[in-house]
Every structure is written in structure tokens, then in C-alpha cells.
């Protein structure tokens, strides 16, 4: 599953989606009149709903790869050993807990976005 | 593999990261990672909360609008969080250009890393002076 080149491309392509979305969102704020009705209209449009859904999936993919890379770089017995030898013994436990934490958080974020946008 | 066992067990290591002077390129890289962590654990859930509250009712919408148009603890937190996301975007674009071998000479890398900090500081000033 962790095929290097696929991961590498996923990381970059998802980042382009997030960048495009951010620019698009900013430009759509230009036509936003500042009222609740206008905001409701903007965030209820099918374009906003679809683009936001694609983007949150891109963000989560991007974040998963990034956080996984950071975890396997720094939360190892070698790097944790620089801090303390005791900590180094628990490196695998710490790294796995950290991975479970961000995967769990990511799923929660996804569910919240889908509920807020589509319901 | 036998070469590994002949390596000296204790060799001089200097690992005080606070005393190692990193090149600007390395600073841009590590801060891209740090800002990425911040964006996932703080900016993203904060944005979800803002989206939820702004769509919840007209009362919560006007409350948010009023508070985000002036400088206070909430607006400071919100704008700093978005600015950190903006920093992550800037350093990210720089990394994408590096992947395409644009500006990836050592000289250009240090210039662009400084350039990003300048752009970010200008954005920071623009955001907080417009409140």
C-alpha cells in the first residue's frame, strides 16, 4: 500500500487541489455580500458542496502522508533516544498511538464536514 | 554488514539543534512540516467549527461576523491560524517548484526561503492592520 512513487504523486496532486480550492474560495468571497442569506446561498451551492467534499478528501490524504512521514522520521527509537533512553524503548508504541490518533481525528473531521455541508 | 560492527561505538556527536545554524532552506523545510502539523491539528478543526457556526443560525453568524471584524482573542487566534496555513501554502508551492527543478540551486533556495518570510510578514501586517 505504501508504494513510494504513488504516495509521492498523491501528496503533490492533493496539494494542488487544496491550493486551487483556497484560491477559488477566496475569489468567491469577492461576490459575497456579507449577509447570512448570501453566506447560506454560497455554502449551499452545489459547486461549494462538491468542491469542499473533494478538497476535504484531498486534505486528509495529504495530511495522512505528511503526518505519517513526520512520525516515521521523528518518532523512532533512534530520534527519541536523543531525548531519553527510556523513551526510545516505547518508540513503536508512541508512533503507533500517534498514527491511530491522526487517522481517528481525520475520520471525525470528514464526518463533520459531510454533515455540515450536505445536511 | 560486517562493516557495521567495526564502526566505533562512541563517536563524537553534536546534536544540540538550538546551537546548529541551519541554512535558510532547511528552516523553510522544517517550518513547512511544523506548520503542516499546526494546520491539521488546529486550523482544520477550527475552520470546521467556523463553518458549522456560520451556517447554524443567523444569530451565530452575526456573532462571528462582529467578533472577526475587530481585534480580540478569537479573531487573533483565527487569523494567526489561517496565516500559518498561508505559510504552509507558500513553502508548499516552493517545494512543488523544487520538484520541477525551478530555483533549486543552493543560492536560489536560500533567496526564496527568505522571500517567503518577507511575503508572509507583509500578509501578517496587512491582515492585522485591516482589523
Amino acid at each position: 500500500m505504501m508504494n513510494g512513487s504513488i504516495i509521492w504523486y498523491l501528496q503533490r496532486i492533493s496539494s494542488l487541489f487544496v491550493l486551487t480550492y483556497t484560491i477559488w474560495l477566496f475569489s468567491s468571497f469577492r461576490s459575497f455580500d456579507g449577509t447570512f442569506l448570501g453566506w447560506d446561498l454560497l455554502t449551499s451551492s452545489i459547486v461549494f458542496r462538491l468542491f469542499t467534499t473533494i478538497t476535504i478528501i484531498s486534505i486528509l490524504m495529504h495530511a495522512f502522508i505528511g503526518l505519517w512521514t513526520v512520525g516515521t522520521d521523528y518518532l523512532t527509537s533512534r530520534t527519541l533516544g536523543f531525548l531519553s533512553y527510556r523513551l526510545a524503548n516505547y518508540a513503536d508504541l508512541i508512533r503507533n498511538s500517534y498514527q491511530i490518533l491522526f487517522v481517528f481525528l481525520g475520520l471525525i473531521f470528514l464526518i463533520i464536514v459531510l454533515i455540515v455541508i450536505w445536511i | 554488514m560486517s562493516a557495521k560492527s567495526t564502526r566505533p561505538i562512541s563517536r563524537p556527536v553534536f546534536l544540540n539543534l538550538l546551537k546548529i545554524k541551519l541554512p535558510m532552506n532547511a528552516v523553510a523545510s522544517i517550518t513547512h512540516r511544523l506548520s503542516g502539523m499546526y494546520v491539521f491539528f488546529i486550523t482544520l478543526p477550527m475552520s470546521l467549527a467556523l463553518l458549522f457556526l456560520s451556517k447554524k443560525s443567523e444569530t451565530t453568524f452575526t456573532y462571528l461576523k462582529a467578533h472577526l471584524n475587530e481585534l480580540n482573542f478569537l479573531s487573533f487566534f483565527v487569523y494567526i491560524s489561517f496565516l500559518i496555513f498561508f505559510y504552509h501554502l507558500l513553502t508548499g508551492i516552493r517545494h512543488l517548484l523544487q520538484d520541477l527543478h525551478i530555483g533549486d540551486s543552493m543560492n536560489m533556495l536560500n533567496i526564496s526561503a527568505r522571500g517567503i518570510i518577507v511575503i508572509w510578514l507583509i500578509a501578517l501586517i496587512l491582515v492585522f492592520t485591516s482589523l
Side-chain angles (χ1 to χ4, degrees), chain B residues 20-35:
Chain B
I20 295 173
K21 194 179 176 297
L22 290 169
M24 279 311 288
N25 183 36
V27 173
S29 177
I30 193 77
T31 51
H32 180 72
R33 287 185 161 197
L34 284 171
S35 60

Side-chain angles (χ1 to χ4, degrees), chain A residues 42-96:
Chain A
L42 173 71
T43 57
S44 301
S45 68
I46 193 74
V47 184
F48 178 85
R49 285 174 165 174
L50 281 177
F51 208 173
T52 305
T53 307
I54 294 168
T55 304
I56 187 67
I57 293 165
S58 297
I59 289 173
L60 294 179
M61 269 185 350
H62 186 88
F64 177 83
I65 299 165
L67 292 168
W68 175 79
T69 308
V70 168
T72 50
D73 274 357
Y74 304 124
L75 300 177
T76 62
S77 58
R78 193 184 81 91
T79 43
L80 288 175
F82 295 152
L83 298 174
S84 92
Y85 287 116
R86 259 180 69 96
L87 211 60
N89 293 328
Y90 297 104
D92 289 345
L93 180 72
I94 292 168
R95 193 179 60 255
N96 290 332

Side-chain angles (χ1 to χ4, degrees), chain A residues 8 12 15-16 19 22 34-36 39 43-44 59 63 67 69 73-74 82 98 102 105-106 109 113 116, chain B residues 15 30 32-33 36-37 40-41 44-45 48 51-52 54-58 61 65 85 88-89 93 96 99:
Chain A
W8 193 91
R12 269 93 188 152
S15 76
L16 291 175
L19 182 65
T22 310
T35 63
F36 178 65
W39 181 247
T43 57
S44 301
I59 289 173
L67 292 168
T69 308
D73 274 357
Y74 304 124
F82 295 152
Y98 158 81
F102 71 69
L105 272 176
F109 295 161
V113 170
V116 170
Chain B
L15 290 163
I30 193 77
H32 180 72
R33 287 185 161 197
M37 300 278 287
F40 181 79
F41 288 108
L44 183 56
L48 300 189
L51 184 65
F52 170 71
S54 65
K55 278 173 73 72
K56 191 167 175 263
S57 69
E58 192 158 6
F61 175 84
K65 200 184 156 192
F85 173 60
H88 188 76
L89 284 187
I93 292 165
L96 287 174
D99 289 339

Side-chain angles (χ1 to χ4, degrees), chain B residues 80-131:
Chain B
I80 277 292
S81 298
F82 282 134
L83 279 164
I84 289 172
F85 173 60
F86 180 61
Y87 182 84
H88 188 76
L89 284 187
L90 287 176
T91 46
I93 292 165
R94 185 172 163 278
H95 279 313
L96 287 174
L97 292 174
Q98 275 173 243
D99 289 339
L100 299 170
H101 297 292
I102 298 168
D104 65 347
S105 67
M106 201 59 210
N107 194 28
M108 270 306 290
L109 288 175
N110 286 325
I111 292 171
S112 60
R114 285 189 171 84
I116 279 173
I117 293 170
V118 173
I119 295 170
W120 189 77
L121 285 174
I122 292 169
L124 180 88
I125 293 163
L126 283 177
V127 167
F128 285 105
T129 50
S130 66
L131 288 177

Side-chain angles (χ1 to χ4, degrees), chain B residues 49-69:
Chain B
L50 287 178
L51 184 65
F52 170 71
L53 290 171
S54 65
K55 278 173 73 72
K56 191 167 175 263
S57 69
E58 192 158 6
T59 324
T60 51
F61 175 84
T62 33
Y63 177 88
L64 275 181
K65 200 184 156 192
H67 281 76
L68 292 180
N69 274 322

